[in-house]
Amino acid sequence: MELTYIVGEDRRDLVKDIHNFNIDFDKSNYKWVQARQYENSMRQVFVEVLNDDQTPFDLTGCNIVFEGLLPDNTSRIYDASNGIILDPLNGKFRFDMPKQAFAIAGSYVQAFFRIMRAGDNVAMLEFDMTVLADKVISGLVPADYITPFEDLYAKLEDILKEAGDDLQSSLTSWTKQFNDAVEQWSDKYPALVSAKNTLTQELASLQEQIKDNKLVAADMIAMSSLTNLQLTINMDTLGLNDMPRFKAYGYYNGAGVPQTTPSFGVPEIFELNLTTDIKDSGRIVVPNFQLFQLQKLLPDFNTTSFSVQHSFNGNWIYLNSGLPTIGIECLNAKFK
């Protein structure tokens, strides 16, 4: 479909009752677009924009926005993503209508294009946009479609995939800001721009926190036992209600190397996160390690193939996997 607009010349009569907004296209210089429900991006509108002296309107550096209030008088389209400048010097662009634009059968309350450039904008005259019913298929639920926020939602989904689902619980405040901005977007265009900028900054901050490990993903904190590893503890030195306590360290070059301080390894030592499953009243212990940490600090450690060695005094267990070693210290008892 092709539309031609002359900026400064096209006009229509004012709407008499602004609260019951209804444009009388019969008495105005108008254009029309018609589509069927559930059509998608193949419904394209080709637009030519002229100045009032009939010279082409220069679209160099412009962004095209489609704004529409759907026939239900509730759902809105603000699409700043699907305009394509075809010939900027001759004022020609194409707009690929999103599927959300055709969710409801009927006549749009209002539909028009806005041309944006460097913070300035000019709006075209409304066109008569009607959506014909499709009684055979159904599926789309009418809803607001506002591309500045749709774009941010898409970025947020990417961040959540990167950071893990557990991060969702720490985004409550951010999500509230986001939803509040969406609800209030139509008050003023500057308010929309301000809200978008704020949310963009929030996203950037969130990405930095993830990068700096201030926020961690579920797979980064997951603990797991090593293959078939169970340790036996001598309980004779422990009190009736006392349970064995442990610390774990990672280092390279193995146990038995001449020791500096401390006595369980060579100078470059990493303290590892460790939890334990206690069985048989404390006599059997299953150590659980943070696999993400092992991969980061001891990338050569094979978690499915390693040897188990006891220290001479029973205070330590050494898990050897070639060059990397994990040393587990029992703080208040001894290993058998």
Side-chain angles (χ1 to χ4, degrees):
M1 295 185 177
E2 297 182 359
L3 306 177
T4 300
Y5 289 99
I6 304 175
V7 177
E9 182 174 314
D10 290 339
R11 68 176 302 276
R12 67 163 172 79
D13 295 334
L14 290 174
V15 174
K16 294 180 180 180
D17 186 353
I18 194 66
H19 297 291
N20 296 303
F21 193 90
N22 183 31
I23 301 173
D24 183 1
F25 285 106
D26 291 335
K27 297 179 181 179
S28 302
N29 178 15
Y30 70 94
K31 320 293 179 182
W32 61 272
V33 171
Q34 192 173 75
R36 181 75 64 179
Q37 265 186 303
Y38 315 125
E39 289 185 3
N40 206 336
S41 297
M42 291 180 67
R43 175 61 67 180
Q44 299 172 331
V45 181
F46 294 86
V47 182
E48 180 181 16
V49 187
L50 304 175
N51 296 302
D52 54 5
D53 61 359
Q54 304 296 310
T55 59
F57 186 94
D58 187 0
L59 294 175
T60 302
C62 290
N63 186 42
I64 308 301
V65 178
F66 168 65
E67 298 187 33
L69 181 58
L70 273 66
D72 64 356
N73 204 22
T74 300
S75 304
R76 290 167 284 195
I77 304 292
Y78 184 95
D79 189 344
S81 297
N82 290 309
I84 301 172
I85 305 295
L86 301 176
D87 188 346
L89 296 181
N90 286 309
K92 295 182 179 180
F93 70 86
R94 186 186 82 214
F95 205 92
D96 302 337
M97 292 290 181
K99 62 182 179 181
Q100 288 84 353
F102 309 121
I104 304 171
S107 296
Y108 266 60
V109 178
Q110 189 177 39
F112 61 92
F113 293 110
R114 187 182 297 276
I115 301 174
M116 310 290 299
R117 178 165 53 200
D120 297 326
N121 72 90
V122 60
M124 304 292 95
L125 193 66
E126 291 101 334
F127 56 90
D128 183 9
M129 184 161 174
T130 56
V131 180
L132 304 176
D134 185 336
K135 296 298 185 182
V136 179
I137 63 172
S138 61
L140 275 180
V141 177
D144 288 343
Y145 179 73
I146 307 165
T147 52
F149 297 106
E150 295 290 333
D151 294 342
L152 291 174
Y153 269 130
K155 290 181 181 178
L156 179 59
E157 289 176 357
D158 291 341
I159 290 174
L160 289 176
K161 289 178 182 177
E162 175 187 348
D165 293 337
D166 282 0
L167 182 60
Q168 186 71 53
S169 61
S170 66
L171 293 179
T172 303
S173 175
W174 189 91
T175 303
K176 183 179 185 303
Q177 295 178 50
F178 194 102
N179 292 334
D180 289 346
V182 172
E183 291 177 3
Q184 299 169 14
W185 77 274
S186 62
D187 292 346
K188 297 178 182 178
Y189 184 78
L192 171 63
V193 174
S194 177
K196 178 181 180 294
N197 291 341
T198 299
L199 295 176
T200 301
Q201 293 171 2
E202 293 281 352
L203 272 176
S205 174
L206 183 60
Q207 288 173 314
E208 284 299 317
Q209 292 180 64
I210 293 171
K211 182 179 178 181
D212 295 340
N213 290 327
K214 294 177 182 176
L215 293 173
V216 295
D219 59 347
M220 294 181 183
I221 61 175
M223 306 293 287
S224 178
S225 60
L226 303 184
T227 303
N228 300 322
L229 178 62
Q230 291 190 352
L231 305 177
T232 305
I233 304 298
N234 184 341
M235 300 286 289
D236 294 344
T237 60
L238 294 179
L240 182 63
N241 297 317
D242 199 6
M243 300 299 289
R245 292 178 283 108
F246 306 90
K247 279 194 174 183
Y249 303 86
Y251 51 94
Y252 276 85
N253 296 324
V257 175
Q259 307 294 306
T260 58
T261 54
S263 62
F264 46 81
V266 295
E268 187 175 11
I269 300 169
F270 316 105
E271 184 169 358
L272 302 176
N273 294 329
L274 175 69
T275 61
T276 54
D277 294 331
I278 307 294
K279 302 180 179 180
D280 192 21
S281 300
R283 292 178 174 83
I284 302 296
V285 174
V286 178
N288 298 302
F289 294 92
Q290 190 174 332
L291 297 184
F292 177 83
Q293 186 185 43
L294 292 185
Q295 292 168 1
K296 182 178 179 180
L297 299 180
L298 300 172
D300 303 318
F301 190 92
N302 187 339
T303 58
T304 62
S305 178
F306 51 87
S307 64
V308 181
Q309 301 176 13
H310 288 66
S311 67
F312 69 92
N313 58 10
N315 293 335
W316 290 86
I317 288 287
Y318 299 107
L319 311 178
N320 298 116
S321 178
L323 292 178
T325 297
I326 294 176
I328 304 175
E329 181 185 17
C330 187
L331 301 175
N332 59 345
K334 293 185 181 297
F335 294 104
K336 282 187 177 181

